[in-house]
């Protein structure tokens, strides 16, 4: 059986047309001006891939190229490592199943741990000036649409401003923050922190909170979200790798997408349980530090519940459904409260 092939001597670009013959364990080739032979065992064949010509590397450094369909099936059967591997894999369906499982696990791991990890790293490196710009743009997206001028009496507003300023001023590790009160009928009793340090309270929230400690407790919790860059970290988790990568390399054009996602997130989504726990922890510490019993946060949530008894998970009390007073949260507030009281009045 004579197989047509191209002979490349490996030194020049010249191509010789030859015919290749196999006799037992030897391969020989013959063409005009070129001929030779080599033991089959010393010929190195490329993998068998449909549509791709075979390359046979000869011991003398030359190559024979044989069209895929011209190559006799039995010449190098099972010789190539990839072919052997593929063949081995094809005989073992558990390997295929295991590969699928590994891929699924890898994908899960990436979304569950990889993306959040990356988002946190990127968020930690976003310059404060950029965070401020994003917060201000988010606020201007909300102002006039969702956030309208407040109807809370000016002296009450002044009182809350003074409370908030004194409270936040005494906390370490905070970027500059400020309180902003808006009437926001569409989002009911609500409060949230924007990346520029603005903590927004709605009129309905201000009116539902019974006293100063309750107001400061909600403020402290929101400042906890602020201190830990929770908005940015949460929004970036869903932003995708491309956006994060360009942000990490200082491409500011990618910011507009993130900025637009911030108000959407704040109005429609909620933080992960881990972030809520972090914000609680921050709040409990901050409150205790300034002489306020950390149980004030749980009290504030209870007061909100009482203010809207019939609509516990509707829009008017979104803040409640975003900050559910589950046993876990209450237990942590109580533990912080016990510690606070013990520190003030040692037994
Ligand atoms: Zn929260």
């Amino acid at each position: 059986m004579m197989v047509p092939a191209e002979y490349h001597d490996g030194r020049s670009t010249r191509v010789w047309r030859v015919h290749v013959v196999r006799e037992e364990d030897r391969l020989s080739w013959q063409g005009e001006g070129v001929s030779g032979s080599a033991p089959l065992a010393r010929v190195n064949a490329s993998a068998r891939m449909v549509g791709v010509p075979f390359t046979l590397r000869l011991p003398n450094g030359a190559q024979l190229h044989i069209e895929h369909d011209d190559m006799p099936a039995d010449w190098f059967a099972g010789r190539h490592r990839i072919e052997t591997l593929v063949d081995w894999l094809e005989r073992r369906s558990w390997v295929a199943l295991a590969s699928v499982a590994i891929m699924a696990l890898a994908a899960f791991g990436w979304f569950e741990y990889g993306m959040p990890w990356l988002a946190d790293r990127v968020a930690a490196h976003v310059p404060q000036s950029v965070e401020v710009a994003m917060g201000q743009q988010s606020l201007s997206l909300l102002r006039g649409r969702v956030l309208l001028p407040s109807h809370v009496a000016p002296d009450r507003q002044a009182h809350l401003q003074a409370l908030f300023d004194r409270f936040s001023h005494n906390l370490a590790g905070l970027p500059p923050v400020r309180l902003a009160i808006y009437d926001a009928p569409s989002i009911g009793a609500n409060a949230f922190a924007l990346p520029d340090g603005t903590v927004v309270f709605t009129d309905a929230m201000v009116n539902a909170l019974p006293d100063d400690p309750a107001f400061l407790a909600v403020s402290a919790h929101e400042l906890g979200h602020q201190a830990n860059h929770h908005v940015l970290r949460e929004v970036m988790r869903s932003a995708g790798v491309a956006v994060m990568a360009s942000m990490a390399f200082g491409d500011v054009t990618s910011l507009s997408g993130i900025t637009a996602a911030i108000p959407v997130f704040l109005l429609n989504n909620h933080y992960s349980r881990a972030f809520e726990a972090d914000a609680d922890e921050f709040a409990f510490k901050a409150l205790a530090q300034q002489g306020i019993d950390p149980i004030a946060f749980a009290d504030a949530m209870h007061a909100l519940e009482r203010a809207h008894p019939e609509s516990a998970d509707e829009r008017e009390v979104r803040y409640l459904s975003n900050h559910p007073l589950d046993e876990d949260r209450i237990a942590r507030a109580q533990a912080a409260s016990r510690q606070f009281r013990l520190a003030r009045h040692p037994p």
Side-chain angles (χ1 to χ4, degrees), residues 221-222 225 271 276 279 319 323 329:
H221 177 87
E222 291 309 317
H225 284 311
Y271 289 116
E276 285 302 337
Y319 199 78
H323 296 82
R329 183 167 234 150

Side-chain angles (χ1 to χ4, degrees), residues 42-91:
R42 295 197 53 209
V43 176
N44 194 341
S46 61
R48 191 174 282 270
M49 280 181 278
V50 177
V52 180
F54 283 92
T55 301
L56 308 185
R57 273 175 240 285
L58 304 172
N60 64 0
Q63 294 185 354
L64 290 167
H65 293 179
I66 299 179
E67 284 304 317
H68 181 269
D69 293 341
D70 293 338
M71 179 73 131
D74 61 340
W75 277 18
F76 297 96
R79 273 270 303 271
H80 197 274
R81 262 178 311 191
I82 292 178
E83 277 175 48
T84 318
L85 179 65
V86 168
D87 185 58
W88 183 83
L89 288 173
E90 279 174 349
R91 286 160 200 267

